[in-house]
């Protein structure tokens, strides 16, 4: 039988709240896992896949906490009001709640795409990392997001100089609208400065990427990043798993093999 998660609002600063889902482990906790979601619409596209994985992890004995960051999902504030510092505070908030519910056990930060850029920081304690299709550069993630606006304007012939205009607005401290999201300068600048570099005491790192090609290998940028983590003393495992890029597909899709490899990685 699948146990329903505990859905609740976690009190945050200034009277705000963060929507959380806690998936209690079956039996004694084998580990504690905090999930950090990807950027903007990728969060919504990946909800089904993440929910299935949370259930599988809990059934295997892992305690999992999901948190909607400030301005995302059903948490307080609008997306355009959030900053990178707000999201870092939310990670600390999630870690504290996980400590309260499950005081002991190995700790994992599980993240998808830009969520990995948020996770890769020194949290003042030993952590392990589970990266799903991580972005190695926040600057690249920001460019990819801004290109959504560029693509939408191309049909009308208004795309010339648009990228420079958007970057100029953000540099001047003003917000821009992209694909239905208002992106504030503070969040954009924080994202652009984030890199996927090892930080804090070394632990375990599981780096999982998806591809529909049978002979797929890690991308060169990923290989370089994994090497940096390994050289910094992290026990690394990097795999390419068969499956679709569910965070960006038109229809909601899942990657069963990724769930299986995830269970193996945190075992």
């Amino acid at each position: 039988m699948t146990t329903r998660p505990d859905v609740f609002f976690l009190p945050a600063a200034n009277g705000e709240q963060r929507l959380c889902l806690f998936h209690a482990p079956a039996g004694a906790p084998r580990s504690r896992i905090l999930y950090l979601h990807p950027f903007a619409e990728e969060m919504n596209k990946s909800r089904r896949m993440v929910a299935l994985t949370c259930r599988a992890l809990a059934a295997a004995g892992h305690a999992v906490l999901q948190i909607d960051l400030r301005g995302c999902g059903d948490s307080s504030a609008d997306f355009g009001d959030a900053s990178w510092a707000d999201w870092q505070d939310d990670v600390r908030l999630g870690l504290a709640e996980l400590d309260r519910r499950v005081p002991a056990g190995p700790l994992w930060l599980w993240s998808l795409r830009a969520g990995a850029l948020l996770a890769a920081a020194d949290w003042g304690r030993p952590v392990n990392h589970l990266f799903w299709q991580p972005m190695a550069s926040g600057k690249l993630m920001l460019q990819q997001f801004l290109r959504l606006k560029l693509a939408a304007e191309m049909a009308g012939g208004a795309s010339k100089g648009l990228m420079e205009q958007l970057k100029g607005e953000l540099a001047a401290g003003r917000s821009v609208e992209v694909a239905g999201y208002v992106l504030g300068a503070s969040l954009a600048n924080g994202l652009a400065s984030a890199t996927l570099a090892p930080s804090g005491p070394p632990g375990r790192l599981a780096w999982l990427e998806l591809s529909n090609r049978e002979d797929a290998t890690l991308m060169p940028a990923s290989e370089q990043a994994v090497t940096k983590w390994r050289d910094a003393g992290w026990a690394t495992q990097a795999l390419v798993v068969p499956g679709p890029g569910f965070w960006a597909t038109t229809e909601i899709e899942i990657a069963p093999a990724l769930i299986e490899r995830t269970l193996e990685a945190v075992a």
Side-chain angles (χ1 to χ4, degrees):
M1 177 182 293
T2 301
T3 303
R4 287 183 173 272
D6 179 14
V7 182
F8 62 98
F9 282 99
L10 185 62
N14 301 316
E16 294 188 355
Q17 297 178 319
R18 304 290 180 260
L19 178 69
C20 295
L21 286 79
F22 179 71
H23 303 260
R30 300 176 62 186
S31 75
R32 305 174 297 154
I33 302 173
L34 176 64
Y35 170 68
L36 303 179
H37 60 72
F39 196 74
E41 191 61 22
E42 292 185 359
M43 173 189 180
N44 296 322
K45 290 286 188 178
S46 59
R47 279 194 184 276
R48 175 62 176 165
M49 180 63 187
V50 171
L52 292 173
T53 306
C54 286
R55 294 172 192 169
L57 285 166
H62 305 278
V64 186
L65 179 67
Q66 297 175 256
I67 183 170
D68 284 2
L69 303 172
R70 185 172 193 251
C72 301
D74 291 313
S75 288
S76 298
D78 294 326
F79 189 83
D81 298 327
S83 70
W84 194 253
D86 290 337
W87 287 2
Q88 291 173 323
D89 288 342
D90 286 347
V91 176
R92 298 183 184 95
L93 196 66
L95 289 172
E97 178 64 15
L98 200 52
D99 285 342
R100 188 185 71 80
R101 288 175 176 260
V102 186
L107 176 62
W108 287 84
L109 289 181
W110 162 31
S111 52
L112 172 59
R113 299 275 288 162
L117 294 164
L118 185 63
D122 187 352
W123 301 106
R125 62 169 79 189
V127 300
N128 304 303
H129 285 291
L130 170 63
F131 292 156
W132 275 10
Q133 203 75 26
M135 295 294 298
S137 165
K139 184 176 181 180
L140 178 60
M141 181 71 233
L142 179 61
Q143 289 176 339
Q144 289 183 2
F145 183 66
L146 295 179
R147 285 194 191 110
L148 296 177
K149 179 78 169 183
L150 195 65
E153 298 291 338
M154 284 183 68
S159 62
K160 185 176 181 180
L162 181 59
M163 182 64 76
E164 290 70 21
Q165 178 185 339
L166 292 173
K167 291 180 178 179
E169 290 292 307
L170 292 171
R174 293 187 287 269
S175 300
V176 298
E177 187 276 328
V178 179
Y181 288 85
V182 176
L183 175 63
S186 181
L187 180 56
N189 293 335
L191 174 62
S193 64
T195 58
L196 198 62
S199 184
R204 293 170 59 190
L205 167 65
W207 183 300
L208 303 179
E209 293 185 359
L210 282 167
S211 176
N212 283 317
R213 290 173 43 203
E214 294 184 0
D215 59 344
T217 58
L218 286 181
M219 296 178 290
S222 298
E223 287 279 12
Q224 294 175 7
V226 170
T227 297
K228 288 182 180 179
W229 285 77
R230 186 179 296 118
D231 290 346
W234 290 74
T236 61
Q237 176 190 26
L239 296 173
V240 178
V241 181
F246 54 84
W247 58 89
T249 54
T250 303
E251 302 295 330
I252 300 300
E253 296 196 43
I254 62 172
L258 182 58
I259 300 176
E260 295 175 10
R261 295 296 175 266
T262 294
L263 293 173
E264 294 171 0
V266 300

